Amino acid sequence: MGAWELLLVGVVLLLGLSGVLVPGAPGSWLVWAAVLWWAFEDPRALSWGVLVGATAVLFLAQVIRWRLPPRRLRASGATPRMAAYAGVGALLGFFLLPVLGAIPGYIGGAYLAERLRLGGPGEAKASVRSVMRAGGTSVLVELFACLLIAGAWLGAVIWGS
């Protein structure tokens, strides 16, 4: 697989990661489709292993999401700005504190957005708690699964070269 094709797969992965944060967008499907595309274009045991792992992780994430309460983010006061801050925080946390840093990064990003919007730490903390109860946890589970898949793909591309 050439460098341009790998770059395009990476772009689709990034679109999928950002799509997780947008209500109604098929973010996790885009992430899975990017890995599927890569596995078909570069048919090796490593790429097929990443595809099988990605399928299992997304299935597990869906099972966990089905066990959580339904999403009611709009009613809780979640804003697109909060989603953007939370997503960037999760991405930074994922790489700064490998893998598990995505969780505090997501919550920290949401808190920063609310702190800038509302001003006080008490109001921001209450708002983030409300959003996480109303569906933010569901978004976090899906985003974390997609970040795991993107990280596995990146590691496989670097290691498999």
Side-chain angles (χ1 to χ4, degrees):
M1 186 171 216
W4 287 108
E5 288 177 314
L6 284 175
L7 182 66
L8 286 175
V9 170
V11 167
V12 172
L13 278 168
L14 286 175
L15 284 172
L17 286 172
S18 61
V20 169
L21 302 170
V22 177
S28 55
W29 285 103
L30 280 174
V31 169
W32 185 80
V35 173
L36 178 70
W37 175 24
W38 171 66
F40 276 132
E41 290 294 321
D42 192 11
R44 294 183 298 166
L46 179 63
S47 58
W48 288 105
V50 171
L51 178 63
V52 168
T55 305
V57 165
L58 284 177
F59 178 73
L60 182 63
Q62 289 299 319
V63 168
I64 293 170
R65 284 186 54 217
W66 288 330
R67 303 284 300 158
L68 294 171
R71 292 184 187 181
R72 296 178 316 274
L73 290 173
R74 291 282 180 199
S76 70
T79 62
R81 183 182 203 185
M82 178 195 274
Y85 274 66
V88 169
L91 185 64
L92 289 174
F94 187 80
F95 288 108
L96 292 176
L97 182 66
V99 182
L100 293 178
I103 296 167
Y106 178 85
I107 295 169
Y111 175 79
L112 178 63
E114 290 302 284
R115 180 74 192 261
L116 292 173
R117 184 174 72 93
L118 298 172
E123 296 89 1
K125 187 175 174 182
S127 177
V128 170
R129 188 177 304 127
S130 170
V131 167
M132 291 303 287
R133 285 184 184 147
T137 307
S138 173
V139 174
L140 176 60
V141 166
E142 187 176 357
L143 182 62
F144 187 71
C146 289
L147 281 170
L148 281 176
I149 293 165
W153 173 80
L154 187 62
V157 167
I158 291 171
W159 184 58
S161 296

